[in-house]
Amino acid sequence: MLSLTRSPTTQFGWNGKVYDIDLAFDTVLLYLQLQQDSKVSAFGKWRQSCKLFFGRQKLPADPRFYEKSFETIQKIITDSPYGAKDDEDGGAEATKQFDYVRDAGAIYASFFDQYGIDLNKERGKMHWDTFKALLDGLSPNTYFQRIIAIRREDSSKIDDPTAKQDLLDAQNYYAVDGSKTAAELQEQALNSGSLSGLFDSLLSSAQKGGN
């Protein structure tokens, strides 16, 4: 999460060497989108994830490097200063409230309206921590937050049939696919143990093939 006393993380140290990590907001969004792509194999996701975050750097052939580096990336992406949001019944949100791809236009418009920031000009520059802080700080009057409010409103509490139908129509129009929360999707996508195990298996296969 964003800190006012230290710079956002952009590097990862391992065995005396320092590796740059690209944690620009658009890189992270591409990564999260990649994890939900059922057409890409587990190995393909792992390989593309490494390219997204580490680019063309020569990386060590050590599964622990990937385990620890992705633990760091996971913490940066998922950290929240206030914990998980709860619904009115006190439990974790049961449905996905927004989608970075589907809601891209609303997020863009809201950043431009409230902050005067053109996110297209910030690609490759604005750190994920900064993006998240600004996203969380969007006012209820912004386009994005109005959509979120529509999705969260409980139609069962509306007595007027016309108003209730209007809300249901709006919720259907702005609906997002999936039943998992954004945090659950990120946790699934950032399973560093699985990534490490996959790399370990691939490394072992490569070594056997070379003998």
Side-chain angles (χ1 to χ4, degrees):
M1 69 188 121
L2 189 70
S3 171
L4 297 179
T5 58
R6 63 179 185 274
S7 300
T9 299
T10 57
Q11 294 181 321
F12 177 75
W14 183 257
N15 288 341
K17 294 185 178 181
V18 176
Y19 300 87
D20 293 326
I21 307 177
D22 181 358
L23 285 166
F25 79 94
D26 50 309
T27 298
V28 176
L29 294 180
L30 284 172
Y31 172 72
L32 295 176
Q33 185 179 351
L34 171 65
Q35 305 315 308
Q36 299 179 52
D37 191 342
S38 60
K39 297 179 181 178
V40 181
S41 67
F43 172 68
K45 290 179 180 180
W46 172 79
R47 183 174 59 182
Q48 291 185 47
S49 297
C50 289
K51 288 183 178 179
L52 281 171
F53 291 122
F54 295 104
R56 297 179 178 274
Q57 298 174 90
K58 183 176 177 59
L59 304 179
D62 184 347
R64 293 175 299 168
F65 167 83
Y66 298 92
E67 179 180 357
K68 296 303 181 182
S69 64
F70 273 86
E71 281 180 1
T72 298
I73 292 169
Q74 174 181 9
K75 181 176 177 58
I76 292 169
I77 294 177
T78 61
D79 259 6
S80 170
Y82 307 114
K85 294 180 180 179
D86 294 338
D87 61 20
E88 293 182 358
D89 297 324
E93 289 176 328
T95 58
K96 186 177 176 184
Q97 295 296 330
F98 67 93
D99 184 288
Y100 287 116
V101 176
R102 185 173 178 82
D103 294 325
I107 293 172
Y108 174 89
S110 298
F111 268 62
F112 196 85
D113 177 44
Q114 181 163 318
Y115 305 119
I117 294 175
D118 184 341
L119 285 176
N120 283 328
K121 295 181 180 179
E122 294 297 325
R123 290 200 299 265
K125 295 187 291 184
M126 182 184 287
H127 193 279
W128 174 256
D129 285 347
T130 303
F131 171 80
K132 274 290 293 173
L134 293 174
L135 180 69
D136 292 342
L138 289 174
S139 79
N141 295 325
T142 58
Y143 184 26
F144 175 68
Q145 288 295 353
R146 292 203 305 270
I147 291 174
I148 299 300
I150 289 172
R151 290 172 179 159
R152 288 177 174 167
E153 190 167 352
D154 188 352
S155 61
S156 67
K157 296 182 178 180
I158 300 177
D159 295 327
D160 181 78
T162 301
K164 184 172 185 176
Q165 187 58 51
D166 287 343
L167 174 61
L168 291 173
D169 289 342
Q171 288 179 332
N172 182 63
Y173 179 76
Y174 288 117
V176 289
D177 296 329
S179 58
K180 293 185 178 181
T181 65
E184 289 173 326
L185 289 168
Q186 291 173 358
E187 181 178 357
Q188 176 182 335
L190 291 160
N191 189 331
S192 59
S194 297
L195 287 169
S196 178
L198 174 61
F199 179 78
D200 199 10
S201 176
L202 291 169
L203 180 60
S204 176
S205 299
Q207 290 172 336
K208 290 178 181 178
N211 293 333

